[in-house]
Amino acid sequence: MKYTTPLFFCLGLILLATLSHAQEFNYTHTEREKWNLNADWLFRFGSHNDTYESINFEEATTEQVTIPHGLRLTSYRMDSTRDHRDQQHYLREIGWYQKKLNISAAAHQKIYIEFEAVHNVTDLWVNGKHAGRHDLGGYTPFHFDITDLVDKNGENTLTVKADNRFNPEISPDPHTTDFVKFGGLYRDVYLVVTHPVHVGFNWESQQTGVHITTPAVNKRSGTVTIKTYLKNETPQPQKARISTRIVNQEGVVVKKLEQEKLLTANSTTTFTQTTGIQKDFHLWSPDSPYLYRAISTVYVDGQAVDFTENKFGFRWFDLVDGQGLMLNGEPLFLVGVNRHQNFPIIGDAAPNSLHVQEAKMYKAAGMNTVRTSHYTQDDAFIQACDELGLIVYEEAPTWIDWGDDIWWEKLNMVTRRMIRNHRNHPSILFWGAGINHRGPVPQMQYTVKEEDPFRYTASASSAWNGVKNAGITDIYATMDYRWTNMPDGDFAMSMEHGCRPDAEANQFHISRYKERKNNIGCFAWLGADYNRLAPMDRDPEKDKMSDYAVLTAYRLPKPVYYWYQSELGNEPMVHIADHRGSNNGKVRVYSNAQEVALYHQGQLVARQKPDAEEHKKNLNHPSFTFYFPWENGTLEAIAYSQGEEIARHQRSKAKQPYKIRLEKSADLSYGDGDVQLVHAYVEDQQGNLCADFSDRIKFTTSGAGVLIHSDSANTNPAEVFDGIASIYVKATSGNAQVKVEASAKGLKKGSIKINTINAELNMLKSNFLPVYDFSNAMVDIGGKNQLVEHEFEAWTETNAFALKNMGEATAHLQAKELKWAGGATMLGNYSFMGADGAYTEKGAITLTFENLPAGTYKLESFHHTRLDKYKFAKSVACSILDQKGTQNRISDDHGVAYMEHKDSKERKPLFFINHIQSNGIDPITIEFRNADEANGIWLNGFILEQIKLGEAPNSL
């Protein structure tokens, strides 16, 4: 594959931008390229004595693999390894990877290989020459500059050594951890091409890449500062300009910023651009995760050479004594989970799609927060949290113990890279300043605050050892599995608390923490079951998979998941827990209703209110516990609020296993390393899940896909858990289908078809979203000495006015006797505009637009009667003549009439909103008059915004 931007695509983008000035089809026409390199790698194991020269990729043991890739597929219980939590031997292997890469680049361009993360020490060779080593650990991104090593117009060979051996210099080694280091190139790999004048990678240093902050935010407006660190890697000074567009969630440009500087040779120069959003302003929150984009294009000598795009959100947060955590001025109690990244069989090597799907599961449960225990996690997961509205607490990779000076130096560097890489994400509110270290760690606290003083810190303390307060951090975060005492005076959260499939432990802890206002949240341990090794004092033969999380290891809901939905969700619901929550003579029902009636075989068992135990008193919706020994038959729960049925749910004890039903997690993309899960449900003839089924299930595929399994790990036939077996599928070609079948002795076979889609490997094109750079004008009309509204253009005592942001468009004013007022003052929003204007004492004012580009426009006009001797216009009438014809309207936008000439209170002046349509040729006229025709009319100014294009050229 040739990793170069197709010429027709670049030219097409430039053509569209040229033909339609009101729409920018993005920024991939610069010299920046980013290509996904996940496909077509060769892999083989290495030994401790191997060198680059001794490795042979032509041996029979060499495999062809795709990234993400772990060194080995493991069994569900990790091959019954006898390693303990320090993991000195299991999976501590070396993997060698090789890839052929065709490059087509200009002689002056820079070439990089970017790794999102590799376990654990990484060496790269390009065409036989050593490009460098990364030895800071396996959880943060890094890159190599290979410009001087590649053939820029031919085939190149990349060779990677991924060394996952036990290493006492690199955290979380050499100590025990509760997570497994699976090894391999387990996150995405990219080729990046840039002009020598370019924006660097965020993690390189504190002053590289792009750093976005929002230094002032309130409910009505926000200020954003964008620092762009521009590198000039040429031996000559360069004149550079950065043009930044702030784009809202609908793709419309709302602000434009320009800055020009002379770059000295071989240097980095900081560009700082600050602006604010007031009009149509949106805050980011879990309930409304509104994202803006900062898109910056870099020009050198007038030529576009580089661009960056970063999403950000406006939000502010405080810790307020007696109220707890305040987000955007409102109290917010955090409820969520801890998350480990590994999946059964494939370990850490999960594609972006599985990370995103898991984030969606937590959001669908109603949760608002996730702790990324105990390491930096995939960019795709953090991005999903931004988009879904999940608040994130992120940590660097370590656990409990610490090492020597070299160890600390590397951990501090990893912490800095974590923050630099993710500092622009609005979802992140907390950084870890100690991870289960039994209290705050000064070195980590100082490192975090030096990199990011704007977010809060915490460290997971414990009830059995260590500091009992927040110490030097902002928040006391404790592991509370039983009954931890609350600190005096500190804000606190349960960083980890007990979790059970029946939700009883979750309810206990969350209710207890909500009792105290300065407690800000609860994180269940944990989100999904995960692989772990035995503590040093326990039998290593015991189970290697947890069994108490909210989701199974294959990310399927347990009963506790539905309690979270009842407690946190808004949709009416009721759910009868399966055997994991309904047992031992109890049936548990989760609902956000006031009452639930439970029936067995149509006979009423009981109708009751939620559990009234003391330890559940602070919950919104405690569970409903029915004391009923459910042995067979069908249960039905009917939920009532205000005496009306709002939801019902039915569950039956399964009879004889009869069939297999398959479900897919999603369709498959091909070429980017994607894999998806297929779940096989063992059911009786009526479709009830047979949770006791214990035989294994055999999966097969045909068509455009294969199974990911290992005979040595005994993963197919697959083990059944609670009536469900799961397996991974990957595509072998795109734009096709793969058929998956599942069978077991005595059961009717199940099958399902999965669509395969060719992945877009050009990451700039893959992430491409239209950007609408619409024409607009903000005009303040007035007489001499007028006070011009901030960020508005001044139209002073002239009948014609050029709209400078709209090409050749002009505006004209006409009235029988047009007068001008200026130099006055008033109170209220847009007060400078409302203080003066053009007016007529009798009749109408006509506003005419000529040469207005084709499209649909929103026209907001302002009509505040400023001088005391004139009566207020309580309502404005208008006649519009545009492309659609003639229309007559009377204003009702202002809602309440204005009564004071000098004060519009905390509102805008009297305003009138109309939509007008231009064909780009004919003039548009709007005649404004007082609805009370005996009086005159004022026009203080207007905001004209294009909201839709007219006839545009054919798009690609």
Side-chain angles (χ1 to χ4, degrees):
M1 177 175 291
K2 196 169 187 177
Y3 291 93
T4 180
T5 306
L7 181 61
F8 74 86
F9 181 69
C10 290
L11 292 178
L13 296 182
I14 295 171
L15 179 65
L16 284 172
T18 302
L19 292 177
S20 179
H21 79 279
Q23 185 173 14
E24 177 181 310
F25 269 84
N26 240 311
Y27 22 75
T28 52
H29 56 278
T30 71
E31 293 193 30
R32 179 173 288 270
E33 301 176 31
K34 185 172 182 177
W35 294 90
N36 182 296
L37 299 185
N38 286 354
D40 301 326
W41 289 80
L42 296 176
F43 167 77
R44 58 156 296 171
F45 283 103
S47 70
H48 294 196
N49 299 320
D50 284 335
T51 63
Y52 171 79
E53 291 75 16
S54 68
I55 285 295
N56 181 3
F57 281 91
E58 296 181 358
E59 294 183 359
T61 54
T62 300
E63 304 175 60
Q64 184 164 328
V65 302
T66 57
I67 311 302
H69 180 263
L71 294 181
R72 294 185 186 273
L73 299 179
T74 67
S75 72
Y76 187 82
R77 295 176 182 83
M78 294 191 300
D79 312 313
S80 298
T81 176
R82 296 187 62 81
D83 253 14
H84 287 88
R85 281 185 173 173
D86 56 351
Q87 195 188 339
Q88 294 195 31
H89 308 289
Y90 183 59
L91 300 176
R92 297 301 202 159
E93 299 172 282
I94 298 171
W96 287 85
Y97 297 82
Q98 193 170 89
K99 180 181 179 67
K100 301 295 183 181
L101 177 64
N102 287 308
I103 294 176
S104 179
H108 69 276
Q109 288 183 311
K110 301 285 293 182
I111 313 291
Y112 304 92
I113 298 296
E114 176 188 337
F115 296 89
E116 284 193 350
V118 180
H119 283 306
N120 198 26
V121 175
T122 308
D123 284 274
L124 173 68
W125 287 263
V126 179
N127 298 328
K129 296 180 181 179
H130 191 240
R133 167 175 288 189
H134 176 264
D135 62 354
L136 298 179
Y139 297 94
T140 49
F142 58 96
H143 68 280
F144 296 107
D145 183 344
I146 63 171
T147 304
D148 298 332
L149 305 178
V150 297
D151 180 348
K152 291 184 176 179
N153 289 284
E155 185 178 75
N156 296 269
T157 302
L158 307 180
T159 305
V160 179
K161 179 184 178 183
D163 187 347
N164 195 42
R165 287 178 294 176
F166 184 84
N167 191 326
E169 292 185 354
I170 301 174
S171 65
D173 290 341
H175 308 294
T176 62
T177 63
D178 73 336
F179 53 97
V180 178
K181 284 68 72 179
F182 285 90
L185 269 67
Y186 77 98
R187 291 185 189 166
D188 297 331
V189 183
Y190 303 104
L191 172 73
V192 178
V193 180
T194 71
H195 187 276
V197 175
H198 65 277
V199 179
F201 297 90
N202 270 25
W203 52 81
E204 288 183 78
S205 72
Q206 201 169 25
Q207 295 185 334
T208 57
V210 177
H211 189 188
I212 300 176
T213 56
T214 51
V217 183
N218 58 46
K219 290 183 181 294
R220 296 180 297 274
S221 65
T223 300
V224 57
T225 294
I226 303 151
K227 287 188 176 181
T228 305
Y229 302 97
L230 194 57
K231 301 177 77 170
N232 174 18
E233 297 195 60
T234 74
Q236 296 86 29
Q238 301 284 348
K239 187 177 182 181
R241 175 169 59 92
I242 292 183
S243 175
T244 297
R245 288 170 169 82
I246 307 299
V247 181
N248 68 16
Q249 198 156 277
E250 291 69 46
V252 177
V253 175
V254 295
K255 281 295 178 73
K256 300 177 189 178
L257 303 166
E258 299 275 338
Q259 190 173 20
E260 189 171 84
K261 290 189 176 185
L262 183 65
L263 314 180
T264 57
N266 297 308
S267 66
T268 297
T269 302
T270 304
F271 286 71
T272 302
Q273 297 173 298
T274 300
T275 188
I277 309 295
Q278 298 182 63
K279 188 173 178 58
D280 195 26
F281 175 70
H282 299 271
L283 290 166
W284 185 97
S285 71
D287 291 333
S288 180
Y290 196 95
L291 295 173
Y292 290 86
R293 288 184 281 163
I295 300 171
S296 298
T297 304
V298 178
Y299 297 86
V300 174
D301 295 329
Q303 297 296 314
V305 299
D306 197 21
F307 87 95
T308 65
E309 177 180 341
N310 289 271
K311 293 182 179 179
F312 69 96
F314 290 101
R315 79 283 186 271
W316 84 94
F317 46 94
D318 303 284
L319 294 171
V320 178
D321 189 31
Q323 296 186 72
L325 176 66
M326 307 290 286
L327 181 69
N328 301 333
E330 302 293 334
L332 178 67
F333 188 80
L334 304 175
V335 179
V337 292
N338 286 262
R339 191 219 182 208
H340 274 305
Q341 68 184 4
N342 84 274
F343 282 68
I345 317 304
I346 61 173
D348 288 342
N352 294 339
S353 59
L354 294 186
H355 293 301
V356 173
Q357 288 166 25
E358 184 174 351
K360 289 179 178 179
M361 290 288 292
Y362 298 137
K363 186 64 178 182
M367 297 176 187
N368 58 19
T369 190
V370 177
R371 177 192 180 205
T372 63
S373 54
H374 300 291
Y375 40 78
T376 309
Q377 299 199 5
D378 198 288
D379 290 347
F381 185 79
I382 305 300
Q383 290 165 10
C385 291
D386 287 344
E387 294 167 4
L388 295 169
L390 286 168
I391 288 172
V392 175
Y393 180 110
E394 190 164 32
E395 299 177 328
T398 178
W399 199 67
I400 299 182
D401 297 312
W402 50 89
D404 59 16
D405 289 346
I406 295 176
W407 188 94
W408 271 117
E409 182 181 343
K410 292 188 175 184
L411 177 60
N412 285 333
M413 192 66 250
V414 166
T415 303
R416 292 181 189 278
R417 289 192 171 205
M418 170 188 74
I419 294 171
R420 293 167 189 169
N421 188 39
H422 288 160
R423 63 192 176 192
N424 296 332
H425 291 272
S427 59
I428 298 178
L429 263 60
F430 312 96
W431 301 115
I435 293 84
N436 292 25
H437 288 102
R438 313 297 189 253
V441 179
Q443 289 195 43
M444 299 191 74
Q445 166 74 3
Y446 305 148
T447 294
V448 169
K449 288 298 186 180
E450 191 171 270
E451 288 288 332
D452 184 358
F454 305 106
R455 290 178 171 92
Y456 292 131
T457 57
S459 175
S461 300
S462 72
W464 51 89
N465 184 31
V467 176
K468 298 297 296 179
N469 54 57
I472 56 174
T473 62
D474 298 304
I475 299 159
Y476 175 67
T478 181
M479 295 176 281
D480 194 345
Y481 291 95
R482 294 174 181 85
W483 192 284
T484 297
N485 293 326
M486 304 299 175
D488 292 335
D490 281 343
F491 297 94
M493 65 168 69
S494 177
M495 182 62 75
E496 300 173 14
H497 69 73
C499 181
R500 279 178 23 183
D502 63 12
E504 291 298 321
N506 307 66
Q507 294 179 75
F508 171 85
H509 291 290
I510 292 171
S511 178
R512 192 168 83 86
Y513 270 74
K514 290 180 76 173
E515 181 84 30
R516 179 177 178 265
K517 293 298 184 183
N518 282 3
N519 291 342
I520 68 170
C522 286
F523 297 74
W525 187 263
L526 74 165
D529 286 328
Y530 74 113
N531 289 118
R532 72 276 172 92
L533 297 169
M536 298 299 291
D537 59 348
R538 299 183 194 172
D539 183 359
E541 289 291 340
K542 288 192 175 179
D543 188 22
K544 303 297 190 304
M545 179 69 77
S546 69
D547 61 359
Y548 41 75
V550 174
L551 304 175
T552 71
Y554 288 110
R555 278 49 176 185
L556 296 171
K558 297 182 186 180
V560 59
Y561 181 88
Y562 298 100
W563 174 75
Y564 278 102
Q565 281 191 335
S566 70
E567 174 72 6
L568 305 172
N570 296 318
E571 294 297 319
M573 61 85 64
V574 63
H575 181 88
I576 303 169
D578 65 18
H579 62 286
R580 293 167 290 184
S582 296
N583 50 47
N584 198 30
K586 297 177 182 177
V587 173
R588 289 183 174 87
V589 178
Y590 311 121
S591 179
N592 48 18
Q594 294 172 335
E595 291 183 301
V596 169
L598 182 68
Y599 294 84
H600 178 251
Q601 297 294 97
Q603 298 296 314
L604 181 66
V605 174
R607 178 169 172 164
Q608 61 192 51
K609 297 183 182 299
D611 299 344
E613 286 95 338
E614 177 70 13
H615 65 267
K616 298 182 183 180
K617 67 180 181 180
N618 298 310
L619 301 175
N620 298 324
H621 299 287
S623 57
F624 295 75
T625 303
F626 294 86
Y627 288 85
F628 178 75
W630 182 38
E631 304 293 342
N632 51 58
T634 298
L635 293 175
E636 184 173 36
I638 303 177
Y640 297 92
S641 287
Q642 304 298 326
E644 299 291 330
E645 179 184 333
I646 63 168
R648 61 173 60 201
H649 181 238
Q650 192 176 92
R651 185 181 295 281
S652 299
K653 289 286 187 182
K655 297 179 182 177
Q656 187 70 20
Y658 174 74
K659 63 179 180 178
I660 297 173
R661 178 177 59 84
L662 295 186
E663 284 187 359
K664 64 180 180 180
S665 51
D667 285 333
L668 277 161
S669 63
Y670 168 69
D672 60 353
D674 189 32
V675 300
Q676 291 296 329
L677 279 161
V678 173
H679 306 290
Y681 293 78
V682 179
E683 297 177 340
D684 66 11
Q685 207 159 358
Q686 287 72 43
N688 301 308
L689 184 66
C690 300
D692 295 332
F693 187 84
S694 59
D695 290 347
R696 286 178 174 260
I697 291 180
K698 176 71 173 179
F699 290 89
T700 59
T701 60
S702 59
V706 294
L707 300 173
I708 296 179
H709 70 99
S710 168
D711 292 336
S712 62
N714 196 22
T715 55
N716 188 32
E719 197 171 357
V720 176
F721 301 96
D722 298 302
I724 307 168
S726 303
I727 204 160
Y728 303 93
V729 183
K730 80 174 177 180
T732 54
S733 64
N735 294 332
Q737 283 189 331
V738 52
K739 183 179 181 181
V740 183
E741 293 186 321
S743 61
K745 186 177 180 180
L747 298 184
K748 185 179 178 181
K749 184 184 296 186
S751 68
I752 195 169
K753 291 182 179 179
I754 305 172
N755 296 320
T756 66
I757 305 157
N758 282 321
E760 176 54 70
L761 302 182
N762 181 337
M763 301 309 298
L764 306 186
K765 184 177 178 182
S766 174
N767 296 324
F768 170 84
L769 291 173
V771 175
Y772 302 97
D773 195 354
F774 287 134
S775 304
N776 67 84
M778 300 170 67
V779 179
D780 184 356
I781 298 172
K784 292 178 180 179
N785 302 318
Q786 73 175 116
L787 295 172
V788 181
E789 189 68 42
H790 298 297
E791 300 184 331
F792 279 62
E793 300 174 67
W795 182 354
T796 307
E797 292 198 4
T798 178
N799 291 85
F801 184 77
L803 302 174
K804 65 180 183 180
N805 293 328
M806 295 187 169
E808 300 298 320
T810 57
H812 305 264
L813 283 180
Q814 186 177 0
K816 286 184 178 180
E817 188 177 348
L818 188 65
K819 297 182 179 181
W820 305 83
T825 60
M826 66 174 283
L827 295 170
N829 294 342
Y830 285 157
S831 58
F832 298 133
M833 181 169 56
D836 37 45
Y839 67 97
T840 181
E841 297 182 38
K842 297 286 184 181
I845 291 178
T846 301
L847 175 64
T848 303
F849 295 111
E850 294 184 351
N851 300 317
L852 197 62
T856 302
Y857 294 80
K858 175 184 175 183
L859 175 65
E860 184 175 13
S861 54
F862 298 91
H863 307 274
H864 189 84
T865 305
R866 174 61 188 87
L867 301 179
D868 293 346
K869 63 180 180 178
Y870 299 111
K871 290 186 178 180
F872 259 97
K874 296 183 179 179
S875 186
V876 179
C878 76
S879 296
I880 301 171
L881 177 60
D882 65 359
Q883 184 180 343
K884 295 180 293 184
T886 302
Q887 54 178 312
N888 298 295
R889 295 189 62 236
I890 295 178
S891 68
D892 58 4
D893 301 294
H894 51 86
V896 177
Y898 292 78
M899 301 304 293
E900 295 183 43
H901 291 83
K902 296 182 180 180
D903 190 354
S904 63
K905 310 303 180 186
E906 207 171 346
R907 298 180 294 172
K908 295 182 290 188
L910 179 69
F911 62 98
F912 195 178
I913 295 176
N914 287 286
H915 287 80
I916 59 177
Q917 193 165 323
S918 172
N919 59 13
I921 300 172
D922 298 320
I924 296 171
T925 61
I926 306 100
E927 183 185 83
F928 297 107
R929 61 186 182 279
N930 196 323
D932 179 359
E933 296 189 3
N935 297 306
I937 187 69
W938 285 65
L939 180 61
N940 314 99
F942 59 85
I943 300 173
L944 181 64
E945 298 175 288
Q946 188 171 11
I947 58 176
K948 186 178 179 181
L949 291 172
E951 293 299 320
N954 292 330
S955 58
L956 291 175

